Amino acid sequence: MLAKRIIPCLDVKDGKTVKGVNFINFRDAGDPVELGAEYSRQGADELVFLDITASHEGRKTFAEMVAQVAATLNIPFTVGGGINELSDVERLLNAGADKISINSAALRRPELIDEIARNYGSQVCVVAIDGRLEDSGEWVCYLNGGRIPTDRTLFEWAKEAENRGAGEILFTSMSHDGVKTGYPNEALAQLSDNLSIPVIASGGAGNMQHFRDVFIEGKADAALAASVFHFGEIKIPELKQYLEKEGICVRH
């Protein structure tokens, strides 16, 4: 069995790490470069940095932060936010990022996935999907940090992203984000069954059992979380020890 990955996520706004609930009500969680280095020391397998209010002005600052992160980390890290074309990808990879996460830009122009995979390899391209379970029973994909619903649904869009060359799918349940009641394991299991690329679960971690459940019931390859790590509610070494006792293979 491949080792499951634990991935802290740092949402970066104006150079600071922030954390919200259901994509709103943000509070400050510290310096992203320092936090990233601390997670690396604690045994995180990878990190994700998201420029959550990526604007044209902010991109240069973000690339500078990526370079600082790359200088202090010895684990792979993914960056996302405001990536709309190959030149954005190139700038962030040159700054030291290992992978690039695209979300709204891919929904608006799916060919971007093909272009990144063709130019840099599938392993660089993470397609992030923000989904909400609607009253219709369908998981609908949202644009612009969860603000605008689209006519795409989770499972068909994830499959198309895989077919176009995505290396991983990062699925965030907007309904579960920041509320700490567990991950959407049923949807995640269905995603994992439908796809042959890794699925990263995001949105809902509140305790260690939620991580166990997302790997066993949700069949996720990796679990991403933010506030439980940022505010010290769960320590990564203790989480890995717990998961091992539960029979889940993790990296050391």
Side-chain angles (χ1 to χ4, degrees), residues 107 140-143 148-153:
L107 278 163
V140 171
C141 302
Y142 276 68
L143 286 168
I148 305 168
T150 68
D151 58 357
R152 303 301 303 260
T153 57

Side-chain angles (χ1 to χ4, degrees), residues 175-251:
S175 326
H176 294 70
D177 175 67
V179 294
K180 302 184 180 178
T181 51
Y183 293 92
N185 293 324
E186 206 173 297
L188 284 160
Q190 195 175 333
L191 262 185
S192 293
D193 289 342
N194 288 354
L195 304 174
S196 56
I197 56 175
V199 173
I200 304 167
S202 164
N207 59 44
M208 293 195 198
Q209 190 182 331
H210 293 153
F211 286 88
R212 186 202 72 174
D213 293 347
V214 79
F215 291 136
I216 295 173
E217 295 164 25
K219 303 181 184 178
D221 298 278
L224 180 144
S227 55
V228 289
F229 296 140
H230 299 340
F231 302 114
E233 294 159 45
I234 293 177
K235 297 278 195 289
I236 293 168
E238 291 161 17
L239 174 60
K240 287 192 166 187
Q241 283 171 351
Y242 164 80
L243 291 171
E244 271 204 314
K245 285 197 187 101
E246 295 291 325
I248 292 160
C249 176
V250 291
R251 296 177 188 171

Side-chain angles (χ1 to χ4, degrees), residues 23-24 26 52-53 130 132 142-149 174:
F23 285 45
I24 52 170
F26 293 106
I52 58 167
T53 51
D130 295 331
R132 189 194 292 279
Y142 276 68
L143 286 168
N144 287 30
R147 292 177 185 89
I148 305 168
M174 292 166 57

